[in-house]
Amino acid sequence: MTEAYNPFAVAQSQIDKACKTLGFDEATCQFLREPQRQYAFTLPIRMDDGKFKVFQGFRVQYNTARGPAKGGIRWHPEETIDTVRALACWMTWKTAVVDIPLGGGKGGIICNPKVLSDTEKERLARAYVRAVSRELGITKDVPAPDVYTTPQIMAWMMDEYETIMQEHHPGVITGKPIPVGGSQGRGDATARGGIYCVREAGKAYNIELKNQPMAIQGFGNAGQFAALLGEELLGLKLIAACDSQTGVVNNDGISVRALIDYKKKTGSLNGFPGTKEITSNEVLEVPCTVLFPSALENSINENNAGKVNCKISCELANGPTTPEGDALLDKKGVVVIPDYLANAGGVTVSYFEQCQNAQNYYWTEAEIHERLDRKMTAAFRSVYEMSVSKKCNLRDAAYLVSIARVAEACKLRGWV
């Protein structure tokens, strides 16, 4: 993250714009643009060599007017409090736009998990929970996995919380492995929710999807599932993809399953048979019907947005498009399905996991898919109808829908 780009400043500018459109008073706008609570703590960890190393951790509970805070925990060497604040803010709007009774939160630890052993990761996970346990709980704040955290890490965190509380609380953490209270359908939920949004966008904007090309920027978990489900559910054809190292393209089509297997075997897309090598940034410029930005923040900006060549951009990553990039895409007529709508399938199924944990009864994968489809379809339609009503793009409309819902809850509580 460069010093010139402050994601929380971007988030606040988006709030200011929505509040002005909605005609909110100054106090309401001020309240919505700041976190309710935020925590920072140091985590001393004994490493495998016997020496101690001190890590910095964060947890932000942005707004809980509609329910307990909800949001992932990121482990990243360049993590910052402003990134966590911004993502907690966006999570608030994400839970509101899909109309689930949760607020927004986010956590992070400054670390490089790629150089940590499994035992070091476990110590770090448990230390984080010990530091923040007083602020967690099914009625307070429910974390989940995010960048470089996994179901196994969530299981360690849940176990540490239950050890502290001396009773079972499976719903305190979501994204867990299924044997300890995880949900069916969680693995592909983020991508699946995005695919449902693309389907609805195709209907709303009269864009043909069957047999049309798609490109994936960021061929990780979400990107791989987007490719698989785009092909399976919408009939899209993969023609380009990239990971952090390189990109590949073949305008005649790429076998999704073969590319996934190749990536698992080699650790890279480089050299995949039958494709031409391109840079990761060049994947954004490949002519396609649907682009899935599925990498990190700030990927589409003022320097490259003018070269993006798609009809629909479905943002599976968090914050992949800067405001400057967004303006350029809007000018080009690209239908951008904004991140906190497009990737809300993950938090929606996390909410389903909480519901199942609470009732101690678990749904089938087919039931999860059906419920997710209903939620995402309703969310897209509410945003699309707002965009038509206010004559604005989907990102602005999504902010208007979600911020209005959160503000209403704040006002009903008498907070502002």
Side-chain angles (χ1 to χ4, degrees):
M1 190 68 62
T2 64
E3 291 184 2
Y5 177 76
N6 184 326
F8 188 50
V10 171
Q12 288 182 315
S13 69
Q14 293 163 333
I15 295 167
D16 292 341
K17 182 178 179 181
C19 286
K20 183 177 180 180
T21 301
L22 293 166
F24 288 165
D25 58 87
E26 184 178 351
T28 299
C29 184
Q30 287 179 341
F31 185 74
L32 293 175
R33 72 194 311 275
E34 297 292 343
Q36 285 181 282
R37 289 173 291 276
Q38 48 193 340
Y39 308 93
F41 30 85
T42 55
L43 306 170
I45 304 297
R46 186 187 295 275
M47 309 303 282
D48 289 346
D49 63 4
K51 297 179 180 178
F52 277 89
K53 185 173 181 179
V54 177
F55 297 86
Q56 299 297 315
F58 312 104
R59 187 69 185 173
V60 174
Q61 296 167 351
Y62 194 85
N63 189 291
T64 57
R66 287 173 50 87
K70 186 81 185 77
I73 299 172
R74 296 156 53 95
W75 288 9
H76 197 278
E78 297 179 12
E79 194 62 82
T80 70
I81 185 60
D82 277 329
T83 302
V84 176
R85 288 186 185 116
L87 292 168
C89 176
W90 289 323
M91 183 60 77
T92 303
W93 317 138
K94 186 182 295 187
T95 56
V97 81
V98 290
D99 200 20
I100 55 179
L102 297 169
K106 210 72 176 183
I109 299 176
I110 303 173
C111 70
N112 182 3
K114 293 181 179 180
V115 301
L116 299 178
S117 70
D118 285 346
T119 54
E120 289 168 340
K121 290 177 184 177
E122 180 176 355
R123 294 185 201 113
L124 187 58
R126 292 181 181 276
Y128 183 90
V129 171
R130 288 196 298 272
V132 77
S133 61
R134 288 174 295 179
E135 308 305 328
L136 301 183
I138 57 174
T139 59
K140 293 181 178 181
D141 186 356
V142 180
D146 204 293
V147 174
Y148 293 136
T149 52
T150 63
Q152 176 61 74
I153 290 172
M154 296 304 105
W156 288 326
M157 288 186 171
M158 179 197 71
D159 183 72
E160 187 66 23
Y161 183 83
E162 291 185 341
T163 299
I164 293 168
M165 300 302 291
Q166 287 296 293
E167 57 187 2
H168 284 289
H169 286 275
V172 73
I173 300 279
T174 62
K176 307 180 295 292
I178 288 176
V180 289
S183 176
Q184 297 282 352
R186 181 61 184 90
D188 69 4
T190 298
R192 185 174 289 271
I195 293 295
Y196 292 148
C197 287
V198 170
R199 181 194 65 200
E200 296 306 308
K203 295 176 185 176
Y205 293 96
N206 196 28
I207 297 173
E208 178 64 36
L209 299 173
K210 189 173 179 60
N211 296 321
Q212 298 304 304
M214 64 174 162
I216 313 286
Q217 187 215 25
F219 207 63
N221 182 69
Q224 290 177 21
F225 277 122
L228 284 169
L229 295 171
E231 183 179 76
E232 175 188 340
L233 301 181
L234 304 180
L236 291 167
K237 177 179 67 173
L238 180 67
I239 64 166
C242 72
D243 55 20
S244 60
Q245 302 173 55
T246 189
V248 294
V249 62
N250 182 339
N251 289 322
D252 293 328
I254 299 171
S255 168
V256 175
R257 178 53 64 187
L259 189 63
I260 291 173
D261 291 343
Y262 185 86
K263 173 74 183 284
K264 288 180 179 177
K265 181 179 179 180
T266 67
S268 172
L269 303 182
N270 188 33
F272 181 71
T275 62
K276 174 186 174 183
E277 183 177 351
I278 57 177
T279 68
S280 298
N281 284 335
E282 286 174 332
V283 168
L284 298 171
E285 304 170 18
V286 172
C288 62
T289 298
V290 184
L291 171 68
F292 292 95
S294 311
L296 292 174
E297 303 92 346
N298 202 19
S299 298
I300 300 174
N301 49 58
E302 68 273 18
N303 298 319
N304 60 14
K307 299 177 183 178
V308 170
N309 197 352
C310 66
K311 295 180 180 179
I312 298 173
S313 176
C314 180
E315 298 182 335
L316 295 183
N318 287 316
T321 310
T322 66
E324 296 81 8
D326 216 26
L328 289 170
L329 293 183
D330 199 30
K331 187 176 181 180
K332 287 165 63 74
V334 176
V335 176
V336 177
I337 306 175
D339 49 1
Y340 64 91
L341 170 60
N343 65 33
V347 72
T348 302
V349 175
S350 284
Y351 166 62
F352 294 164
E353 184 176 331
Q354 283 183 254
C355 294
Q356 294 169 89
N357 291 156
Q359 64 183 346
N360 199 25
Y361 180 82
Y362 293 82
W363 306 330
T364 65
E365 187 172 57
E367 289 174 313
I368 295 291
H369 292 167
E370 180 185 356
R371 292 168 191 263
L372 178 61
D373 194 345
R374 288 203 304 267
K375 272 292 184 187
M376 298 304 299
T377 299
F380 182 89
R381 288 176 180 171
S382 68
V383 170
Y384 175 70
E385 289 166 5
M386 178 67 81
S387 75
V388 173
S389 172
K390 296 294 185 180
K391 296 181 173 57
C392 62
N393 61 35
L394 292 180
R395 191 185 308 281
D396 289 345
Y399 273 106
L400 294 176
V401 169
S402 57
I403 289 177
R405 287 174 177 171
V406 174
E408 181 183 26
C410 291
K411 289 181 181 295
L412 288 170
R413 289 177 176 274
W415 289 357
V416 288

